[in-house]
Amino acid sequence: MRLKDRVAFVTGAASGLGRAIAMRYAAEGAKVAVADLNAEQAELTANGIAELGGQAIGVGVDVSDEDQVNAAVERTVDTFGTVDVLVSNAGIQIVKPVEAFTLAEWRKMLAVHLDGAFLTTRACLPHMYRQKRGSIIYMGSAHAKEASKLKAPYVTAKHGLLGLCRVVAKEGAEHGVRANVICPGYVRTPLVDKQIPEQARALGLSEEEVVRTIMLGNTVDGVFTTEEDIAELALLFAAFKTNALTGQSLLASHGWFME
Ligand code: NAD
């Protein structure tokens, strides 16, 4: 049990990568706040964890709303006593060429990905600083390091998370807090499934071509990264015992992007 009795606040945990991380953490002994805009799904995920013998609560929250984030973290601390691990994972995607984005769409993308990361970090840090222990994990993307057509605000926001992570790593070190970014390649979650027909339309390709050429074309083996791969990395960072990895980002993309 690598996270025994640790408390984890995982955003976007009602679906996809966040849910896989929440379930993995719970299986490793953590008490988990399953935080998501979709409160009903969050509750279902928390119940699913409880049925497997874990401890979890569902927390409805919009990560781009200051008051909601503060209240969600407070509820977690009231329930479980503290917060040791933050996984800032909630995300959305809008695909279209730069010139077609409205300002409202641009702002929404940055609000969910960047405001959400800042607000959850700010709400969790005082609890971590007080106990001199904490791990903050941002869900980046291969798009934190590489660009693709049609994803201007997403690529911009994901690049921004690398900067936030590095500052939190520097400021947090003296308080025992580490920060990392996970950078997945394509994983078949609802977020990606939704994009396949959208990209096919925008690029004039078939859906099969989008998967083969756009999503997997640059991988070494034509294979999708999985939710389990990402949960494993999230566990590695959360349970790591020293500052050796703090400030670092790690790509998991079947070689789609290498550094
Ligand atoms: P998903 O759509 O399966 O899950 C995203 C979750 O975030 C949903 O449950 C949704 O309700 C929640 N959410 C959306 N807006 C929210 C808000 N304002 N407040 C709270 N919750 C909100 O997607 P996923 O693929 O699991 O994506 C999770 C993260 O991983 C995202 O940050 C995404 O950018 C990143 N990512 C995904 C992939 C991939 O291939 N799937 C690759 C790289 C990075």
Side-chain angles (χ1 to χ4, degrees):
M1 289 259 185
R2 288 160 71 190
L3 293 178
K4 189 155 171 37
D5 294 331
R6 295 290 153 93
V7 178
F9 185 86
V10 185
T11 72
S15 174
L17 301 181
R19 181 166 54 198
I21 292 168
M23 296 192 73
R24 187 69 202 274
Y25 279 6
E28 292 287 341
K31 302 166 189 171
V32 184
V34 176
D36 203 286
L37 188 61
N38 188 334
E40 204 177 311
Q41 266 314 116
E43 204 59 52
L44 284 177
T45 301
N47 291 344
I49 287 173
E51 276 163 25
L52 293 171
Q55 283 192 73
I57 52 168
V59 184
V61 63
D62 177 348
V63 296
S64 65
D65 183 294
E66 185 172 19
D67 292 339
Q68 288 191 36
V69 169
N70 291 339
V73 171
E74 280 318 309
R75 196 182 141 210
T76 303
V77 172
D78 285 349
T79 308
F80 292 136
T82 188
V83 58
D84 300 287
V85 182
L86 162 65
V87 183
S88 172
N89 163 82
I92 55 171
Q93 181 62 282
I94 304 175
V95 290
K96 53 175 71 175
V98 178
E99 69 277 14
F101 271 98
T102 64
L103 182 58
E105 289 168 335
W106 171 268
R107 284 187 172 147
K108 183 169 170 107
M109 288 292 292
L110 297 198
V112 174
H113 290 276
L114 286 180
D115 296 359
F118 162 67
L119 290 171
T120 51
T121 299
R122 196 185 60 179
C124 289
L125 276 181
H127 303 287
M128 295 177 172
Y129 282 4
R130 197 175 313 118
Q131 63 187 12
K132 293 245 163 252
R133 183 180 72 200
S135 165
I136 296 187
I137 298 166
Y138 300 104
M139 193 54 69
S141 167
H143 285 114
K145 298 168 184 251
E146 174 66 294
S148 289
K149 288 178 178 175
L150 309 178
K151 296 189 173 176
Y154 187 82
V155 169
T156 303
K158 293 299 190 188
H159 275 67
L161 289 176
L162 298 180
L164 177 61
C165 166
R166 289 169 186 153
V167 174
V168 172
K170 289 202 171 187
E171 292 183 2
E174 66 184 284
H175 306 284
V177 173
R178 297 172 288 105
N180 293 100
V181 185
I182 298 174
C183 296
Y186 284 99
V187 184
R188 284 303 286 263
T189 65
L191 180 129
V192 161
D193 285 339
K194 176 175 160 287
Q195 281 173 58
I196 296 172
E198 291 172 357
Q199 292 212 31
R201 258 194 315 278
L203 298 170
L205 300 171
S206 70
E207 294 189 15
E208 186 273 329
E209 283 171 324
V210 168
V211 170
R212 187 168 39 80
T213 62
I214 307 279
M215 295 186 166
L216 302 178
N218 289 328
T219 61
V220 295
D221 52 9
V223 173
F224 276 101
T225 302
T226 65
E227 293 177 357
E228 291 70 31
D229 293 328
I230 302 308
E232 189 65 34
L233 286 185
L235 177 60
L236 172 83
F237 282 137
F240 210 80
K241 294 207 183 313
T242 71
N243 280 339
L245 295 180
T246 196
Q248 300 296 345
S249 54
L250 190 52
L251 280 149
S253 69
H254 283 249
W256 169 41
F257 184 79
M258 299 185 194
E259 59 177 6

